Amino acid sequence: QDYNSQVFRIGWVESGNYMASDLYLEHMNFTFPYISPKRWHDNPPISSGVGSLLSIYFYAKNLKMFRTKASLVAHVGVHESKLNFGVARGSSNHHTLYFADGDGAYEKLVLSTRPITASIASKWTRLVSLQAAVDSLTHQVDKLFIYLNDYEFVPDYLRVPWIQVVRSQDSGSLGDLGDRGKFFWSGNYSVHTQIMTPPSPLENQTGIEPEPEPEPEPEPEPE
């Protein structure tokens, strides 16, 4: 329902894309309930369930939720959804609506970004740290290239469409390259398997070219 000319009062929040006062976090004891993987067994394309769980919890506690009538943010992150692979950003199923700066500004943002790719090399003894490194990059890259040195098999968690794997034993590989395996591909950000990548370090690496800063005005000559 209308709350004022710029805001609706609603009964839900979307995932973690909202701002809240400390009161909401205190109600949750600064934690988040566990969501069982069983959620996806019967319906693989279903959403994460984060927004649904939060909405039900806040509503039951009679905590107010609001939404601006115009979107104050535009989705210009990775090009394809990881949760629903094949859904491309900017498509009819993955499109920011009612962007506050207008549709033209949104389209410009979408067109000015480029896919983000990264590469990793790993040896068998780093199997566990590799999974943690991959998990930390999931929402930050469009494509991940992984060179596996002397792995006897490809771990199941790497068998997803947005990850390309080469083993040192494969024909077409260059054998055991150690950490140099990450350079088997060119033009990517290289990542170390023992360093977890924090949220958004790949720069703000959406590939958006910054607007050029205006030239400073020349100072007047002293008389």
Side-chain angles (χ1 to χ4, degrees):
Q1 66 184 56
D2 280 359
Y3 185 73
N4 59 34
S5 62
Q6 295 181 311
V7 173
F8 290 117
R9 182 174 178 183
I10 57 176
W12 53 270
V13 293
E14 170 58 31
S15 189
N17 304 318
Y18 65 91
M19 294 181 289
S21 67
D22 289 349
L23 173 66
Y24 288 68
L25 300 178
E26 289 168 1
H27 267 287
M28 298 182 68
N29 197 28
F30 297 90
T31 62
F32 190 84
Y34 173 73
I35 298 178
S36 171
K38 292 180 180 179
R39 175 180 173 83
W40 296 277
H41 286 179
D42 296 329
N43 188 3
I46 199 171
S47 66
S48 68
V50 173
S52 173
L53 193 152
L54 285 172
S55 299
I56 293 170
Y57 186 87
F58 291 157
Y59 189 84
K61 295 288 184 180
N62 199 29
L63 296 172
K64 296 178 181 178
M65 292 169 275
F66 301 90
R67 178 176 69 82
T68 56
K69 295 184 178 181
S71 176
L72 304 182
V73 296
H75 190 141
V76 291
V78 293
H79 279 235
E80 292 194 351
S81 169
K82 294 298 190 305
L83 188 60
N84 298 306
F85 190 81
V87 177
R89 189 190 64 219
S91 68
S92 59
N93 294 325
H94 194 3
H95 190 93
T96 299
L97 298 175
Y98 311 119
F99 184 42
D101 290 347
D103 289 343
Y106 173 65
E107 294 300 331
K108 182 179 178 182
L109 285 171
V110 170
L111 293 173
S112 63
T113 61
R114 57 178 172 77
I116 301 172
T117 59
S119 56
I120 295 177
S122 178
K123 55 186 179 181
W124 179 250
T125 54
R126 293 180 182 170
L127 175 64
V128 175
S129 62
L130 173 63
Q131 183 170 9
V134 170
D135 287 346
S136 73
L137 288 165
T138 299
H139 66 290
Q140 299 191 57
V141 300
D142 293 286
K143 189 80 174 179
L144 186 59
F145 300 93
I146 301 181
Y147 197 96
L148 300 178
N149 292 294
D150 294 330
Y151 272 64
E152 296 179 0
F153 60 89
V154 176
D156 286 342
Y157 63 84
L158 300 182
R159 298 181 184 276
V160 292
W162 59 279
I163 295 178
Q164 180 179 329
V165 175
V166 169
R167 293 193 307 152
S168 58
Q169 304 96 314
D170 294 343
S171 61
S173 74
L174 298 176
D176 189 340
L177 296 175
D179 284 341
R180 294 174 299 158
K182 69 183 71 171
F183 302 112
F184 183 76
W185 302 271
S186 61
N188 308 302
Y189 294 102
S190 61
V191 180
H192 198 286
T193 54
Q194 292 182 305
I195 300 176
M196 300 309 101
T197 310
S200 292
L202 292 185
E203 187 187 9
N204 306 313
Q205 325 227 350
T206 55
I208 298 178
E209 295 293 332
E211 293 289 336
E213 294 186 5
E215 294 289 331
E217 293 279 340
E219 294 185 6
E221 295 287 335
E223 296 183 1

